[in-house]
Amino acid sequence: MRTMKGRDLLTLSDYTKEELEKILQLSLSMKHDVKCGNYTRPYLSGKSVILLFQKPSTRTRLSFDVGVHQLGGHPIYLNWNDLQLGRGETIADTARTFDAYADGIVARVFKHTDLEIMAENARAPVINALSDLAHPCQALGDCLTIIEKKGKIEGTNVVFVGDGNNNVCRSLAEAVLKLGGNMTIASPNKYQISQSYADYIKKGAAKGSSLTLMEDPKAAVKDADVIYTDVWVSMGQEAEKEERMVAFRPYQVNSELLSNAPSDVIVMHCLPAHRGLEITDEVIDGKNSVVWDQAENRLHAQKGIMALLI
Ligand code: CP
Ligand code: NVA
């Protein structure tokens, strides 16, 4: 296995099944340590990690901040608009400057290509904390949750209901396929995962995994082990709000949809949730929901990622 030290994590595509499993294994063991009261493993001792955010965040920002701290490092939160970036300094020059001081760069951006520019100009690993294209750290945390709740990803039926072409769905599909699961995406045709991205992630898929695209959410959840949803309007898509609200209305994850799924299905949402839109109170607060474990696992998964990459 190639060393992961120094590598960027912009999407999951540069990582093999074995590498993803290694990250998940380390994350699980670090979670176990935390549960036993042992918070710190000094993987990042003496190191500084920049957390650069161009969009709002609650979970990602906090879990990276706490994660760096628990690994013995120093997290530095930076808001994009507070930097000279906001006044026009280039991303390349900013990345070179970051490189002069810090050992790792975690960044949430609007345009995925901005992450690529950062990665080209910094030797320090660049970790995607969400872009318009992908949310790989979310997907790894989610895989941790699926493994904990369902025992494994291999052969597990994961059904995403909603905006099939968004960052969270793309990275989840990529992870599930790579780890040998079955991914179904129920989405209106107009918002279904793009054919080009579907073809791209199928190339990295494990033997025995499958990707099924469909429109009907009820038929999609029939054999689901996991039902997953996310917002209908992602950050940066606000101008499309009216049209999206109409298109996704039949894709709400509610009790009626759940009645079509096996009774032990788990319900996941990356959060933040718009209660009453993509998911009802009854479901997100109900017995099938694992959203709080899922949010917690962001911390453990990202510690695994940082320990191996930085
Ligand atoms: N799921 C997620 O990335 O949440 P935040 O936007 O709060 O970071
Ligand atoms: N798809 C959502 C995820 C938020 C964590 C967005 O990009 O806004």
Side-chain angles (χ1 to χ4, degrees):
M1 195 188 296
R2 198 152 70 93
T3 178
M4 283 187 248
K5 200 131 289 233
R7 278 164 63 186
D8 302 310
L9 176 65
L10 302 194
T11 71
L12 298 174
S13 47
D14 294 337
Y15 289 79
T16 63
K17 178 176 194 274
E18 291 68 33
E19 287 168 343
L20 296 187
E21 284 168 348
K22 185 172 176 180
I23 294 172
L24 291 171
Q25 227 168 31
L26 180 61
S27 308
L28 274 171
S29 84
M30 291 208 270
K31 177 170 183 176
H32 178 75
D33 279 2
V34 169
K35 295 293 168 196
C36 296
N38 177 15
Y39 280 81
T40 311
R41 282 202 196 182
Y43 281 95
L44 298 182
S45 180
K47 296 191 175 175
S48 299
V49 180
I50 287 173
L51 314 178
L52 173 67
F53 282 75
Q54 197 183 21
K55 293 172 174 176
S57 169
T58 300
R59 280 142 288 269
T60 310
R61 174 178 171 179
L62 268 168
S63 54
F64 267 109
D65 192 317
V66 171
V68 173
H69 173 72
Q70 288 186 0
L71 294 176
H74 172 49
I76 307 164
Y77 171 78
L78 299 173
N79 180 317
W80 185 283
N81 289 318
D82 290 343
L83 302 186
Q84 297 290 7
L85 264 174
R87 295 178 58 245
E89 185 168 15
T90 68
I91 293 163
D93 288 352
T94 304
R96 287 184 198 116
T97 308
F98 284 175
D99 221 19
Y101 308 126
D103 305 285
I105 303 167
V106 172
R108 169 169 286 195
V109 298
F110 281 100
K111 292 197 309 224
H112 189 79
T113 46
D114 287 349
L115 287 179
E116 293 172 345
I117 298 170
M118 254 178 239
E120 276 161 28
N121 288 281
R123 269 166 305 151
V126 175
I127 298 173
N128 182 357
L130 181 149
S131 68
D132 55 349
L133 183 78
H135 199 0
C137 296
Q138 179 74 51
L140 282 167
D142 295 342
C143 287
L144 211 58
T145 307
I146 296 172
I147 291 168
E148 282 182 335
K149 303 290 176 189
K150 293 287 173 187
K152 56 183 174 33
I153 305 277
E154 229 157 70
T156 299
N157 298 329
V158 180
V159 181
F160 185 95
V161 177
D163 185 2
N165 205 30
N166 84 7
N167 41 16
V168 169
C169 181
R170 286 196 204 110
S171 291
L172 181 71
E174 186 163 21
V176 169
L177 290 191
K178 205 161 248 188
L179 294 168
N182 304 312
M183 182 80 194
T184 300
I185 306 176
S187 189
N189 276 336
K190 180 171 179 189
Y191 297 99
Q192 187 52 274
I193 193 166
S194 68
Q195 198 54 53
S196 57
Y197 207 80
D199 291 342
Y200 173 66
I201 59 176
K202 274 199 264 182
K203 278 191 205 138
K207 227 170 122 201
S209 65
S210 65
L211 176 65
T212 309
L213 310 183
M214 55 204 295
E215 268 203 291
D216 180 0
K218 281 192 186 136
V221 301
K222 198 173 134 287
D223 297 315
D225 297 305
V226 179
I227 297 177
Y228 197 118
T229 192
D230 182 16
V231 295
W232 294 339
V233 184
S234 285
M235 292 178 277
Q237 298 174 333
E238 290 76 10
E240 301 168 24
K241 184 172 175 186
E242 227 169 289
E243 191 188 335
R244 284 174 167 268
M245 286 298 158
V246 176
F248 288 115
R249 193 36 52 216
Y251 291 82
Q252 184 181 67
V253 175
N254 52 32
S255 302
E256 203 216 321
L257 183 70
L258 246 63
S259 71
N260 294 277
S263 57
D264 63 347
V265 71
I266 58 167
V267 175
M268 299 180 71
H269 191 310
C270 57
L271 305 177
H274 291 89
R275 289 165 174 258
L277 292 178
E278 76 273 4
I279 194 161
T280 57
D281 284 335
E282 208 178 6
V283 170
I284 199 169
D285 297 327
K287 66 175 176 40
N288 301 84
S289 170
V290 299
V291 300
W292 305 114
D293 294 316
Q294 192 186 348
E296 183 194 322
N297 280 336
R298 296 291 306 281
L299 168 68
H300 308 298
Q302 288 157 195
K303 282 170 73 182
I305 294 167
M306 290 190 289
L308 289 166
L309 269 54
I310 300 178

PDB file of all heavy atoms in Angstrom, residues 213-229:
ATOM      1  N   LEU A 213     -29.997   3.650 -10.526  1.00  0.00           N
ATOM      2  CA  LEU A 213     -30.597   4.985 -10.555  1.00  0.00           C
ATOM      3  C   LEU A 213     -32.073   4.832 -10.865  1.00  0.00           C
ATOM      4  O   LEU A 213     -32.450   4.123 -11.797  1.00  0.00           O
ATOM      5  CB  LEU A 213     -29.911   5.846 -11.621  1.00  0.00           C
ATOM      6  CG  LEU A 213     -28.371   5.880 -11.567  1.00  0.00           C
ATOM      7  CD1 LEU A 213     -27.812   6.819 -12.631  1.00  0.00           C
ATOM      8  CD2 LEU A 213     -27.881   6.299 -10.189  1.00  0.00           C
ATOM      9  N   MET A 214     -32.930   5.462 -10.056  1.00  0.00           N
ATOM     10  CA  MET A 214     -34.362   5.376 -10.327  1.00  0.00           C
ATOM     11  C   MET A 214     -35.084   6.640  -9.886  1.00  0.00           C
ATOM     12  O   MET A 214     -34.516   7.479  -9.206  1.00  0.00           O
ATOM     13  CB  MET A 214     -34.965   4.116  -9.704  1.00  0.00           C
ATOM     14  CG  MET A 214     -34.732   3.939  -8.216  1.00  0.00           C
ATOM     15  SD  MET A 214     -34.856   2.192  -7.742  1.00  0.00           S
ATOM     16  CE  MET A 214     -36.566   1.890  -8.105  1.00  0.00           C
ATOM     17  N   GLU A 215     -36.364   6.730 -10.293  1.00  0.00           N
ATOM     18  CA  GLU A 215     -37.138   7.920  -9.937  1.00  0.00           C
ATOM     19  C   GLU A 215     -38.052   7.683  -8.738  1.00  0.00           C
ATOM     20  O   GLU A 215     -38.323   8.594  -7.969  1.00  0.00           O
ATOM     21  CB  GLU A 215     -37.973   8.357 -11.140  1.00  0.00           C
ATOM     22  CG  GLU A 215     -37.272   9.375 -12.016  1.00  0.00           C
ATOM     23  CD  GLU A 215     -38.267  10.180 -12.829  1.00  0.00           C
ATOM     24  OE1 GLU A 215     -38.897   9.598 -13.731  1.00  0.00           O
ATOM     25  OE2 GLU A 215     -38.411  11.383 -12.546  1.00  0.00           O
ATOM     26  N   ASP A 216     -38.543   6.447  -8.598  1.00  0.00           N
ATOM     27  CA  ASP A 216     -39.582   6.176  -7.607  1.00  0.00           C
ATOM     28  C   ASP A 216     -38.988   5.889  -6.215  1.00  0.00           C
ATOM     29  O   ASP A 216     -38.371   4.848  -5.998  1.00  0.00           O
ATOM     30  CB  ASP A 216     -40.392   4.955  -8.110  1.00  0.00           C
ATOM     31  CG  ASP A 216     -41.511   4.588  -7.146  1.00  0.00           C
ATOM     32  OD1 ASP A 216     -41.660   5.271  -6.105  1.00  0.00           O
ATOM     33  OD2 ASP A 216     -42.232   3.613  -7.435  1.00  0.00           O
ATOM     34  N   PRO A 217     -39.172   6.792  -5.234  1.00  0.00           N
ATOM     35  CA  PRO A 217     -38.566   6.580  -3.915  1.00  0.00           C
ATOM     36  C   PRO A 217     -39.138   5.361  -3.191  1.00  0.00           C
ATOM     37  O   PRO A 217     -38.410   4.671  -2.477  1.00  0.00           O
ATOM     38  CB  PRO A 217     -38.870   7.877  -3.157  1.00  0.00           C
ATOM     39  CG  PRO A 217     -39.942   8.565  -3.912  1.00  0.00           C
ATOM     40  CD  PRO A 217     -39.902   8.070  -5.319  1.00  0.00           C
ATOM     41  N   LYS A 218     -40.441   5.086  -3.379  1.00  0.00           N
ATOM     42  CA  LYS A 218     -41.047   3.950  -2.657  1.00  0.00           C
ATOM     43  C   LYS A 218     -40.443   2.632  -3.126  1.00  0.00           C
ATOM     44  O   LYS A 218     -40.108   1.768  -2.311  1.00  0.00           O
ATOM     45  CB  LYS A 218     -42.560   3.919  -2.906  1.00  0.00           C
ATOM     46  CG  LYS A 218     -43.287   4.921  -2.057  1.00  0.00           C
ATOM     47  CD  LYS A 218     -44.788   4.684  -2.084  1.00  0.00           C
ATOM     48  CE  LYS A 218     -45.453   5.816  -1.344  1.00  0.00           C
ATOM     49  NZ  LYS A 218     -46.630   6.337  -2.014  1.00  0.00           N
ATOM     50  N   ALA A 219     -40.301   2.483  -4.422  1.00  0.00           N
ATOM     51  CA  ALA A 219     -39.715   1.255  -4.956  1.00  0.00           C
ATOM     52  C   ALA A 219     -38.244   1.173  -4.523  1.00  0.00           C
ATOM     53  O   ALA A 219     -37.739   0.089  -4.221  1.00  0.00           O
ATOM     54  CB  ALA A 219     -39.824   1.248  -6.478  1.00  0.00           C
ATOM     55  N   ALA A 220     -37.579   2.331  -4.452  1.00  0.00           N
ATOM     56  CA  ALA A 220     -36.142   2.335  -4.126  1.00  0.00           C
ATOM     57  C   ALA A 220     -35.861   1.811  -2.721  1.00  0.00           C
ATOM     58  O   ALA A 220     -34.855   1.143  -2.486  1.00  0.00           O
ATOM     59  CB  ALA A 220     -35.586   3.748  -4.277  1.00  0.00           C
ATOM     60  N   VAL A 221     -36.753   2.098  -1.756  1.00  0.00           N
ATOM     61  CA  VAL A 221     -36.441   1.760  -0.356  1.00  0.00           C
ATOM     62  C   VAL A 221     -36.877   0.348   0.045  1.00  0.00           C
ATOM     63  O   VAL A 221     -36.653  -0.076   1.180  1.00  0.00           O
ATOM     64  CB  VAL A 221     -37.065   2.780   0.645  1.00  0.00           C
ATOM     65  CG1 VAL A 221     -36.540   4.190   0.368  1.00  0.00           C
ATOM     66  CG2 VAL A 221     -38.587   2.760   0.624  1.00  0.00           C
ATOM     67  N   LYS A 222     -37.475  -0.388  -0.881  1.00  0.00           N
ATOM     68  CA  LYS A 222     -38.071  -1.696  -0.573  1.00  0.00           C
ATOM     69  C   LYS A 222     -37.112  -2.643   0.185  1.00  0.00           C
ATOM     70  O   LYS A 222     -37.507  -3.261   1.169  1.00  0.00           O
ATOM     71  CB  LYS A 222     -38.539  -2.333  -1.884  1.00  0.00           C
ATOM     72  CG  LYS A 222     -39.535  -3.445  -1.717  1.00  0.00           C
ATOM     73  CD  LYS A 222     -40.062  -3.873  -3.076  1.00  0.00           C
ATOM     74  CE  LYS A 222     -40.085  -5.344  -3.242  1.00  0.00           C
ATOM     75  NZ  LYS A 222     -38.868  -6.064  -3.429  1.00  0.00           N
ATOM     76  N   ASP A 223     -35.871  -2.726  -0.263  1.00  0.00           N
ATOM     77  CA  ASP A 223     -34.914  -3.627   0.410  1.00  0.00           C
ATOM     78  C   ASP A 223     -33.785  -2.838   1.081  1.00  0.00           C
ATOM     79  O   ASP A 223     -32.670  -3.350   1.247  1.00  0.00           O
ATOM     80  CB  ASP A 223     -34.300  -4.598  -0.614  1.00  0.00           C
ATOM     81  CG  ASP A 223     -35.357  -5.499  -1.225  1.00  0.00           C
ATOM     82  OD1 ASP A 223     -36.185  -6.019  -0.458  1.00  0.00           O
ATOM     83  OD2 ASP A 223     -35.360  -5.658  -2.466  1.00  0.00           O
ATOM     84  N   ALA A 224     -34.080  -1.608   1.465  1.00  0.00           N
ATOM     85  CA  ALA A 224     -33.005  -0.733   1.973  1.00  0.00           C
ATOM     86  C   ALA A 224     -32.528  -1.156   3.361  1.00  0.00           C
ATOM     87  O   ALA A 224     -33.326  -1.483   4.239  1.00  0.00           O
ATOM     88  CB  ALA A 224     -33.514   0.708   2.024  1.00  0.00           C
ATOM     89  N   ASP A 225     -31.213  -1.137   3.557  1.00  0.00           N
ATOM     90  CA  ASP A 225     -30.639  -1.236   4.899  1.00  0.00           C
ATOM     91  C   ASP A 225     -30.452   0.177   5.466  1.00  0.00           C
ATOM     92  O   ASP A 225     -30.456   0.378   6.675  1.00  0.00           O
ATOM     93  CB  ASP A 225     -29.267  -1.934   4.842  1.00  0.00           C
ATOM     94  CG  ASP A 225     -29.386  -3.359   4.343  1.00  0.00           C
ATOM     95  OD1 ASP A 225     -30.155  -4.127   4.939  1.00  0.00           O
ATOM     96  OD2 ASP A 225     -28.732  -3.695   3.325  1.00  0.00           O
ATOM     97  N   VAL A 226     -30.232   1.110   4.542  1.00  0.00           N
ATOM     98  CA  VAL A 226     -29.971   2.507   4.919  1.00  0.00           C
ATOM     99  C   VAL A 226     -30.785   3.411   3.998  1.00  0.00           C
ATOM    100  O   VAL A 226     -30.762   3.227   2.778  1.00  0.00           O
ATOM    101  CB  VAL A 226     -28.474   2.864   4.714  1.00  0.00           C
ATOM    102  CG1 VAL A 226     -28.200   4.318   5.077  1.00  0.00           C
ATOM    103  CG2 VAL A 226     -27.551   1.917   5.478  1.00  0.00           C
ATOM    104  N   ILE A 227     -31.510   4.362   4.584  1.00  0.00           N
ATOM    105  CA  ILE A 227     -32.117   5.428   3.771  1.00  0.00           C
ATOM    106  C   ILE A 227     -31.389   6.713   4.149  1.00  0.00           C
ATOM    107  O   ILE A 227     -31.252   7.033   5.333  1.00  0.00           O
ATOM    108  CB  ILE A 227     -33.625   5.585   4.051  1.00  0.00           C
ATOM    109  CG1 ILE A 227     -34.383   4.312   3.662  1.00  0.00           C
ATOM    110  CG2 ILE A 227     -34.196   6.797   3.302  1.00  0.00           C
ATOM    111  CD1 ILE A 227     -35.877   4.353   3.984  1.00  0.00           C
ATOM    112  N   TYR A 228     -30.940   7.431   3.145  1.00  0.00           N
ATOM    113  CA  TYR A 228     -30.113   8.622   3.382  1.00  0.00           C
ATOM    114  C   TYR A 228     -30.741   9.797   2.644  1.00  0.00           C
ATOM    115  O   TYR A 228     -31.152   9.656   1.493  1.00  0.00           O
ATOM    116  CB  TYR A 228     -28.704   8.366   2.817  1.00  0.00           C
ATOM    117  CG  TYR A 228     -27.627   9.306   3.326  1.00  0.00           C
ATOM    118  CD1 TYR A 228     -26.540   8.824   4.040  1.00  0.00           C
ATOM    119  CD2 TYR A 228     -27.684  10.683   3.094  1.00  0.00           C
ATOM    120  CE1 TYR A 228     -25.541   9.674   4.510  1.00  0.00           C
ATOM    121  CE2 TYR A 228     -26.702  11.533   3.567  1.00  0.00           C
ATOM    122  CZ  TYR A 228     -25.628  11.021   4.277  1.00  0.00           C
ATOM    123  OH  TYR A 228     -24.657  11.880   4.743  1.00  0.00           O
ATOM    124  N   THR A 229     -30.843  10.928   3.307  1.00  0.00           N
ATOM    125  CA  THR A 229     -31.286  12.112   2.575  1.00  0.00           C
ATOM    126  C   THR A 229     -30.458  13.339   2.956  1.00  0.00           C
ATOM    127  O   THR A 229     -29.696  13.320   3.920  1.00  0.00           O
ATOM    128  CB  THR A 229     -32.798  12.378   2.771  1.00  0.00           C
ATOM    129  OG1 THR A 229     -33.217  13.363   1.817  1.00  0.00           O
ATOM    130  CG2 THR A 229     -33.127  12.861   4.171  1.00  0.00           C
TER     131      THR A 229
END
